Amino acid sequence: MTDTDTAYGFRPGQPNRDLTGVGRGTPYGEVLRRYWQPVALSADATTTPRRLLVLGEELILFRTRSGTPGLLYPRCAHRGASLFYGGVEDEGIRCCYHGWVFDPSGHCLEQPCEPEGGPHRDRIRQPWYPVQERYGFVWAYLGDPERKPLLPRYDVLEDLGEGELLIADDSGVGGGGPKLLDFNWLQHWENVLDPFHVPILHARFSGFQFVREMALMPEVRFEYTDRGVRSTQLRTLDDGRRLRRVTEVMFPNLRVVASPRLAAGRTDILGWVVPRDDESFHIFTLARATDPDYLRRLRSTHDGKPWAELTDAEHQRMPGDYEAQKSQGTVTLHGDDHLTTTDQGVAMLRRMMAKQISRVADGGDPPGLVFDDRDVVVAITGGNFLDD
Amino acid sequence: MAYTPAATSGTRPIAFLGLAGVIHLDDAPAVPVRTIRVSAWGWWAREVAVPETTARQLATLASFTDVVWISEWGHNAHTAFATALDLPSRPWPTLPVQFDKLAAIRVYAAALPWVWIDDPLVIPPDATGGLVVPTDPRRGLAGVDLAAIRSRLPERTR
C-alpha cells in the first residue's frame, strides 16, 4: 500500500491579509488608524528631518527650532521634492527646491519664489498628521481627524516615586532579536497570548532564556476584556507558592507582558508593536525603573550570551522568539495553520481582531478609545503575583 | 495541509457548525444563558456563555444530519463542550479552521448535501454550494430554525 501525503504537489496556503495588512484602506490598517501610535523617540525628533515608515506610509519627522514636532507627507505640495532634504526653521520646514515652508500642521507659511511671498499660500496644505509627545515618545494619529481620540495615559507609568525614571526604548525589547524586526507584526503580537511556548522555546529547547520558574508548564485561564484578551498563567513553584502571571493584549497593538525574569507586582513595562509596513515593525517600550539599564538587563540570553553576539550555529542551536517568529515567514501562511489546544489565546485574539475590523468597517468604534478626560488614565492589570 | 479529518456516515447531510457565536456567545446574549467553564484537559480554561436551549437544538440537528465541527477550537470542540451539551462519547469530526471555512467545507462534503451554521463574522457574502445559515451572534444555534433547515435538506443521500 502506498503511503501518501508526501510533499509532492503540496501547495502552500495564504496569509490572512485582513488581519496582517496595515496600509491605508486595509481592514486592520483602518483599526490601527483609530488609535494614537508611538512612532519615534522624542529624542529622534530634531531639526534634522528623519524618514519614518509607519503603517505603510512614508513620513518626515522633524522638530522646529522653536521646539514643536511635526510629521508630514514627504512630497512637497509644490512639485514633489522630498522634505527629507528640507531645512528646519523656527516655525516649520523649508523645501530645498523652491523654498516653500510648512508648519507642523502643514500650513504653508511662505513661497519665496512667488510674487509677494505667495498670495495664495493659505490655500495650500501639506498633508500632515497630528502628533503629541508623552512618556519620551512622539505619538501620531493617522486616522480620520473627525474621530480622533484622546492620547491615553497608563496608570503604571504615572506618579513616579523618588529615584524612579521612565525609560523610553525602541530597541526591540521583547522581540528577542534586532531593533528592526523584519516580519509581520502580528506574528509577534499574538505571541503574547501563547504562554505554552515559553516552557518549550525558552527553556526545554534553548536552555533557560529567562528564569527557571518559566520552564514550568502553566495552567492558563483565557478571557476577553473590554480592551482585548487576557491570559492568567498559574505555576506551582518548588516551595509550594503559586506564581500567577497575567499577560494581556490591548487593542490595537499593545502588549502587556510583565518581566519574564519575574519581578513581582504589577508590570512596570508596556510595549507597542507598531508596524512599519506588512513586513516589518518596531517595538516601542516604556518602563518605570530605578536602574537606567533595566531594559537591557531584562533581555533574554542564550547560554548567557545576548542575541546579537550569537554565531549562526548558536542561533540554530538556541533559537528564541525572533528565530521562531521570523521563520514563520515574512508574513506567515495562516491558511496552513492547524490551531489546536495551546492556540486558544491566539484564536481568541484573531477573532476579536476580525470583530473590530467589522465594527470599524460599519462605522463603529473599536475598544478602548478614550474621548473623555475622565477616562484618560488606562488601568493595567498584568503582572507577576505570588500567592501563598 | 496534512490533516485528515474523521469521516461522517456518508449517508446523511452534513451540518458544519462553528462554535463562537453558534454554541457559545461572545456578544451580549438575547436569550437565557448559563455560564460554563470549559477546559482542554486542564491545560487552560475559559468561561463561556451557552444558551439554555443549545443542547436540545444540537440534539435535534444531530437527529437528521451528521455534525462536523468547523472551528478554531480544533479537536477540543467536542471534548470541551461534551458535558455541557451532553454530546456523544465518540467525537464528531473536526475541521480545524477559523476563517476560510468554505473551501474546507466544499472539499470535505464532496457530493454530500450540507448546511453550514456559523457566526456571520466568518461567512463570506458569496458563500454558495450548500445551505448557509448565519446565526444571530446574540442567540447562536438557539435562534436557528431547525425545522426550516430540515425541510430544505434531503432526508437521506442514498
Side-chain angles (χ1 to χ4, degrees), chain A residues 354-366:
Chain A
K355 291 178 86 165
Q356 303 324 310
I357 287 171
S358 176
R359 181 175 293 177
V360 168
D362 290 342
D365 289 333

Side-chain angles (χ1 to χ4, degrees), chain B residues 14 28 33 37-38 45 48 51 60 68-69 79 81 84 101 104-105 112-113:
Chain B
I14 300 174
V33 298
R37 184 177 184 275
V38 292
V48 294
T60 301
V68 173
W69 302 111
T79 307
F81 287 92
K101 299 185 179 186
I105 286 172
L112 290 171

Side-chain angles (χ1 to χ4, degrees), chain A residues 244-322:
Chain A
R244 182 165 49 88
R245 180 169 164 80
V246 180
T247 60
E248 58 185 316
V249 297
M250 298 172 78
F251 274 69
N253 58 341
L254 173 58
R255 38 169 288 161
V256 181
V257 180
S259 163
R261 299 192 184 280
L262 302 184
R266 273 203 307 160
T267 185
D268 47 18
I269 310 165
L270 299 179
W272 284 261
V273 183
V274 181
R276 297 174 75 246
D277 55 20
D278 293 355
E279 299 183 351
S280 63
F281 63 97
H282 281 304
I283 302 173
F284 289 94
T285 305
L286 289 169
R288 68 185 296 166
T290 52
D291 173 8
D293 214 19
Y294 174 59
L295 286 178
R296 190 189 64 78
R297 293 180 199 277
L298 198 69
R299 300 198 68 158
S300 58
T301 55
H302 310 247
D303 265 359
K305 292 173 70 173
W307 181 87
E309 295 177 13
L310 299 181
T311 64
D312 288 348
E314 287 170 327
H315 279 298
Q316 185 180 20
R317 184 166 58 82
M318 299 179 288
D321 279 326
Y322 176 77

